[in-house]
Structures are given as C-alpha cells and as structure tokens.
Amino acid sequence: MQTYVQFAILGLGLGAIYIGLGTGLLLVHRATGIINFAQGAMAMWGAYVFAQLRLDGTLTFPIGSIDLGRRPTVLVSALIGLLMAVLLGLVAHYLVFRPVRHAPVLAQVVVSVALMITIQALVVLRFGPNNIKVDSILPEGTWSLLGVEVSSREILMALIMAALSGVVWAYMRFTRAGVATRAASENERAAVLMGFSPDRLAAVAQVIASVLGTIAVTLGSALTGLNPENYTLLVVPALAVLLVARMESIGIVVVAAIVLGAFQSIIGLLVTKPWWPVWAQSGFDQIVPFAVVMVILFVLGRRLPSRGSLQTIRLPDVAIPKLKLVPTLILLAGGVAALALTTGSYRFGITTSIIVMLLALSYVVLTGYLGQISLAQGAFAGAAGFTLSKVTTGWGIPFPLSIILCGLVAAALGMLVALPAFRIRGAQLAIVTIAAALAIERFVFNNYSLTPPEGNPIAAATLFGINLSVREGRDLSRLSFSLMVLVVAAILVFLFIRLASGDTGRTFLAVRANERAAASSGINVRMTKLIGFGISAFIAGIAGCLIGLSRGQLSAESFTVFTGLQILAVAYLGGITSVGGAVVAGILGPLGIIYVLLRGVFDLGAYYPLISGLGLIITAILNPVGIAGATREQVAWVRRKLSRTPPAEPRSDATTATPTPKEPSRV
Amino acid sequence: MSDAPASTRAGLETRSLTVRYGGLVANSDVSITVRPGEVVGLIGPNGAGKTTFVDAVTGFTQCEGEILLNGTPIQELPPHERRASGLSRTWQSGELFGNLSVAENLLVAARKGGWRTLARDLFGRRKADAGRDLVENALAVVGLEGVTDTLARDLTLGQQKLVGVARALAGGSEVLLLDEPAAGLDSMESQAFASRVRAIAQGGENGAGDGDGPGILLIDHDMSLVLSVCDVVNVLEFGKHIFSGTPAEARTDPTVVAAYLGAPVEATHV
Ligand SMILES: Nc1ncnc2c1ncn2[C@@H]1O[C@H](COP(=O)(O)OP(=O)(O)O)[C@@H](O)[C@H]1O
Ligand SMILES: [Mg+2]
C-alpha cells in the first residue's frame, strides 16, 4: 500500500504538467475556438531556454544565440524562459492562429499540427534530439503523509500549478476581460459590446496559455529531463483531460490532470509486478489517455461544445480525375526513366518519393474526398509494416499476397478507428486519431514482446523467380525493386481513379459536403465512412509494407507519430484533393527526392522537418488548394487567356471563400 | 393490420407523433396520412413545428408515436433506410451538395455507394454516361433545363429548391415530403411549380397521369398555392394539429380562420 501511495504522489509531477497544458488548451479554446495541438511543443521552448541557460549560460533563440559568459541565477534564467514563452504566445497568435480564425476546422487543425512539428523540429535543431538535464527549481525532500514517506517536490509542483490554474479561473470569472473572453466564446459581438477586442483577448489567452505551460514543463522536466518528442506529445494526455472537463471547467481540468498523472504512475508500478502479463508491460500507461478520450467522446458525444461542429468542412473543390492514356504513359515512362538513369541514394530517394506519394494518396481518399481528419495514417502504415515482418519471416507468405494481406490488416485497423468518426468530426476526430496513433506507437511498435528490439526483419520479395530485393552486394538500390514499387503505386493510383470517378467517389464527396443531405438521399453515412477509412488505411498499409521492404527491417523509429504528421504536412502542401497533389507530396516528402537533394547538394537535410513544418503553416494559411491546386488554377487561367474567350462563369473556389452559411454568432 | 395487398400502396401514416425538444413540445399527437397520388398540405405559422414533423418522419429527430410506410412501421429505421423504402424529402434550406454539379447531386440519390458498388467501381465494366437519362428526366419533371453541369452552389435559391425536389424524386419515391419548396420562387414560378406538383402526384413523370405517382406532403407559406393544389390541408399551431380537411373546409373553418388566416379570404400571403 505504501508503495502505491508513493507512486501516486510521484505521478503528481506529470499531473502538474497536465494541469498547465490542460488549462492552457481550455483557455485558448474558449478564446478562439481552436484546439491547439502545439500546446505541448510551445510549452517546451521556454523550458529548453531555461535549461540551456543553467547548463552553460547560452541564451538560445530560434536563430542565433548569445553567450552570457556565466550562468545566470535560477530566477533570472526562469524569467528569461518565461519571457520567451510570452513572445512565443504572441507570435503563435498573430502569425499563425489569427489568420485562420474564421477558417474551416480542418485548416485550424492542420495549422496547429504544423506549428507543433515546426517547434519540435526547431527544438531538435537548436537543442539537439537527446534528453537534456534540467535544473530543479523546487527543493528535493520528503514529507510524511499518513505515515508514509513521500516526495515533496511533486506535491509542491501540483500545488503551484493548481494555484496558477486558480488564478486563471479567477481571471475568467471575475475580471471584465475574462468575462468577455467567455462571452466571446459564445458570441464575439458580446465581447465587442463590453468594449474588448476579441482579437486582443485571444492574444492574451494565447500568452497566458504559453506561460502556464512553460512553467509546468520547466518545473516538471526537472524530474525526467527534457526531450523534444515526449514533451511535444504530452499534449495528448492533456487533450484527454480537456475532454473530461468538457472543455469548460478549469476545476475539473485540475482534478482530472492529477488523477491521470497519479494513475499512469501507478500503472508504471503495476506493470513491474510478476503477475502482470509481459506483453502488456511497455506503453500500457499510454493506453489510458486513449481510453479516456474514447470513453468521453462516446459517452458525451455530441454534447461536447464545439464551435466548429456546425460548420461543414470547407475544402478545395475536387476535379473528378479521368484516366487519360497518353499522360499516364508519359508519367510512367518518366518514372521508369528517372529510376533507370539514377543510382544509389538518388534512386532510393525517388523510390521513397513514390511510396510517400501513396501515403499522401491515403489522405486524398480520407480527407480530400470524404472530409474526415486522421492523424493516425503513420500508425496504419506501421501496423502493416510490422505485420509484414511476421508474415514474411514467420509464415513465409509470398509477395504480392503478403503485402495485400498486410494492407487488409491496416484496413481493419482503419475501420476500427472509423468507429468514433460515426459520432464526432473535426478537431475531436483529430484528438481521437492522434491519441490512437500514440497508443499504437507506444503499446505496439515500442513493445519489445511484440516487436523485438533487435529489429523486425522483412524477407525480400521475389516474383516469378525475379529477385525484387532492394540491395544486393554493393548495389544499395536495385532497379528491379524500384520498378516493383512503381508498378504497385501505379496499380493503386489506377484503382483510386476508378473509384474516385465512380459512384463511390461521388458518395464520398456527398458525405463530405453534407452528411444530413447525404443520409436523406439514401446514403448510409456510417458505412461510407467505414469504407473510406478502410480504403485509406489499406493504401497507407501497402505504403508501410513498401517502406518495410525498402529498409529490409523495421523498428519503432520507422513509424513515429511525427512521421504520420509530416506526411499530413506534405499531403496538404501538395494538395489534399487530387492525385497530382499526392505526386507533389511524394516529391517533397520525408526522405524523398527533394530531401536527398537538400542533403546531398545543399547539406540541408537536418533542416528538412523545419522547412516542411513552416511550409505547411504557410500553405494552410495562404493557399489551401495546395501546390497542385494552385498549378491547376494557373494552367486554367493561362488557357483562358490563350483561347481569349471570356470565362464561362466565375466559378468560385476555396480561395475566394464562397458564401457558405456560417454560424451567425461568429461572423 | 390489414391484409398485404391493400397495404402495399397505403402511403405514409403517422399516429400520435410527438416530438419534444427539452421542455418544448414541437409536435404533439400529430396524425397525418399521405396516400399515393394525393397532395396533402401542411401549413402553420413560423415555429409551428412543420419542419420538425418532416424531420421526425424521415428519421432526423427522435419522436414518440408510430410512423407507417405502406403499412410497415419504420420509426426504428435510420434515415437512409427510410429513404430506401421510398420516403424522400427536401430541406427547407436546400442542402444540396454545393461542390457537386446538378447531375451529380441527382446521381448521388440514384446510385448509392456500398461494398458492392466499390467492387464494381474498382473492377467492373463502366458505361460512359450511365444515369444521364435519369438526370435529364428528373430535371424535366421539375422543369429545369440547361443546368445539368452547373455547380449546385452557383444556382439561384429557387433553382436549388427545384433541384432538391428532383433529387428527392431520383431513385424512386413512394411519398415525397417537400419543406417549403416554393420559397424563393416568384408568383409566376410558383404557379408553374404548383401544376408540376400535381403532375408528379398523378404520375405525370412519364406523361401518363395514370395516378401511380407518389403521395406528396407540401409545406408552404403561400396560402393560395397550398389551397389550390392540395387535396387535404393540415394546420399546425404551436405543435398542435388543429385542423385537417379539404381546402374548402379550411377556408371556412373558424379555428383555422382565427388562428392562421386572420380573415376568411380566398388567398393571402401569410
Ligand atoms: N433541433 C432543435 N432543438 C431544439 N428546438 C428546436 C429544434 N428544431 C426546432 N426547434 C424548435 O421547435 C419549434 C418548431 O420548429 P420548426 O419545426 O422548425 O417550425 P416550422 O418549420 O413550422 O417553422 C421551434 O420553436 C423551434 O425553435
Ligand atoms: Mg420550417
């Protein structure tokens, strides 16, 4: 019993961070209606600045740094860290969130995810990818609680964060600005009538949230050290806490955060017990936030307040694809030529680009056509990849059958994730899918009893006696492998075009446009979503298998949550509604040909994640049709000019936002 | 229950349909029958519960009471299955698929997705312009031409309402519920629309007029339209079903006159 109490108390450190992030999420959501997936990443920056100052007296900026000569005191360092948090809050508001404040939910989700990968990439660049030690501001010590010796530092952290949350609560409750913020969440006009600019209120909320999160992470990271991935992803349990509080009650955020932190810590103790099944030892604590999210969304479902929910997702128009023989042949010949004329890392880069194109295509199906958001595509790909390891080395199932089977496994997983999409959409669906992705990564991919740490070898493919392995001898990128990838991709794109130009594609677009109207036209909306998630995950799964085959073996690092998010970034960047967009995404994508060029010619490979994050922020704000869409518009424009006929009718598109009915209170 | 043959074309019947929104009773004990080939009017002031009635019947809101389609209870079915069994509707606010062309809007209703459709899309043979006839026919029935390939959101409001009707007809309909389809039409267009509604009910889609058309429930604010076109008129007020009878009876019924018409007149715009 004693140990349980001690572990519960140790969990308060985590709980304190959840309080900080959860309160910030709530405040920002109230003020702007946006769910900020970058909350954890933002909170991390100031903490890193603090840690670096205390380590060697270097004040680090996103660009450049100042060597202060000697290490400033704890107080001065902490104040500088908080100053950075204030600035970051302002930048996030004015440069990132303000431009999309009236944009569709999807754009808002994408922008905040983009900010998240940008800051995370920046942290890796400026402070390194590894864990760094953080000075403890609070003294270590023990207290005696009910006769049990417990650590006092965690209790102090939780108390401090709870007190700060209390201050935020009082701000919302008793100050005119706070009341106006709450009013603005129902009706912006009300805030204006009270004499406040909703915009300024949102900036204030963003700054408070950033500061609160930074304090929490600065205090809490003394326990574990700072690490870019883990702290960025702490937003996921914080989102679970936010949902428990129904996005409304700061009091519940505090209680839920503490309970969740303590509970995860106790699970950490339980999994070490001899009776605990070995296969469930690692990553089980990450199942908890996911389970909380699922239960809350199923129980509360539609009753969660969400300003975005009435808005249909407004996406760029879809040009129904047609299969044209000549362009198809030219494209294929171009692909073959590119592969045949290159060798080594360049050929491998092109091959990876083709695979990333498929991953982007899985987003075209799901988001571009069906209007659903998923942050779990990387997990689908990974699930298929790891299955392929078992299927090829364990059961000896031969190629094409092996990858089809694994694609179907991914499809089944995708349909499972589709179940919550029956009831929720928009930002909440993004929360579910990122929680699912994290749970799968930690519980399956990182679980050594399911995926051995010494690696998950994948047997090379052969077909009709042709050796399709990726390397042989000193050739690290064989042509026959690359051609196999090209053929597989061509088949999938062909099938996608059949589907997109057929009844299924039309049904998807109808569901994307208006679920009610679709149901009243006899469409089974749930079945349609199930099919869409299934197809999308199948494509992602095949891509995951190809990644596996191209590496020869897989580890958890092959498919992190961030891999999935980067794919979303390039898919959106390329243009999420068309095959052309997916091709562009493939060219730009992680480890693809542009990456290889950046690394090989310009020596800029390390900047790739940062560039893709920034590129995504800019695209989501300025050019929602993506590169492919913009090109198509320009081509159409040039054609009109050339043919000198006046445009038939001013066809509106997403950039010149059509007058779709908005919620009156928000306009 | 009556015997099968009699009930196969019995149309729509609601029995004591009641809808509550929190404390508000938006429909209270509404019993309305719409037989095939018949045009039934549903009128009442704003907020009387007309749209609520359509929502309840088509499965978009919870309700108590019974809903029978051709003698079969359907209140447990989800909306798309009610549509599949022949109950179709339009929406007061249009609710077209704005990013699809008019033709595609109709094809959505006529050719549904599903696993089998998926297999056919992927691996089956395909005709170049399947469904083109269906689209042209459905548009001709509502009197729209030359807009087949226009994006739905680029249509005028009146045209959008007509496409809504065409979409509800596409794929077959036993009973058609029209929620203020004529709002947004001028009085000339309204008159033309009225005669089309009659023609549709009489099975005029094929020019036959042989009376095998769908039953139609028509909601409208335009009293002259409703009274001139309907066989039966129902009046709702504050969710209560205060009148049901022929247009002639409606014109003279004291409750209707007092509650809704204001004065016993031939035709007024309310
Ligand atoms: N989804 C809903 N939730 C709560 N109240 C509703 C809802 N839909 C309609 N109402 C209320 O029910 C009443 C009837 O509305 P409605 O059926 O739209 O009237 P009508 O179509 O006759 O103008 C109104 O008071 C309206 O405010
Ligand atoms: Mg109405």
Side-chain angles (χ1 to χ4, degrees), chain B residues 10-18 27-35 38-44 48-54 57 66-70 87 175-177 215-219 232-237 239-245:
Chain B
L12 173 75
E13 183 182 354
T14 68
R15 292 182 188 155
S16 307
L17 190 110
T18 300
N27 270 191
S28 133
D29 271 336
V30 181
S31 303
I32 289 181
T33 302
V34 184
R35 292 189 189 81
E38 194 178 62
V39 183
V40 175
L42 181 61
I43 57 177
K50 306 180 295 292
T51 300
T52 300
F53 177 77
V54 175
V57 168
E66 274 185 276
I67 309 167
L68 303 172
L69 184 66
N70 292 337
L87 185 64
V175 174
L176 184 59
L177 312 175
I216 295 179
L217 182 83
L218 177 67
I219 296 177
V232 181
V233 178
N234 294 279
V235 183
L236 282 187
E237 193 192 30
K240 292 201 186 61
H241 192 185
I242 59 167
F243 175 82
S244 179

Side-chain angles (χ1 to χ4, degrees), chain A residues 2 37 54 84 145 205 303 355 522 526 640:
Chain A
Q2 277 203 5
F37 286 85
R54 293 295 299 152
M84 293 300 146
L145 194 77
R303 277 181 289 145
I355 300 175
R526 293 181 169 194
R640 275 203 304 275

Side-chain angles (χ1 to χ4, degrees), chain B residues 21 24 26 44-53 55 61 92 179-180:
Chain B
Y21 290 128
L24 178 84
N46 253 335
K50 306 180 295 292
T51 300
T52 300
F53 177 77
D55 283 348
T61 193
Q92 189 171 353
D179 196 351
E180 306 204 10

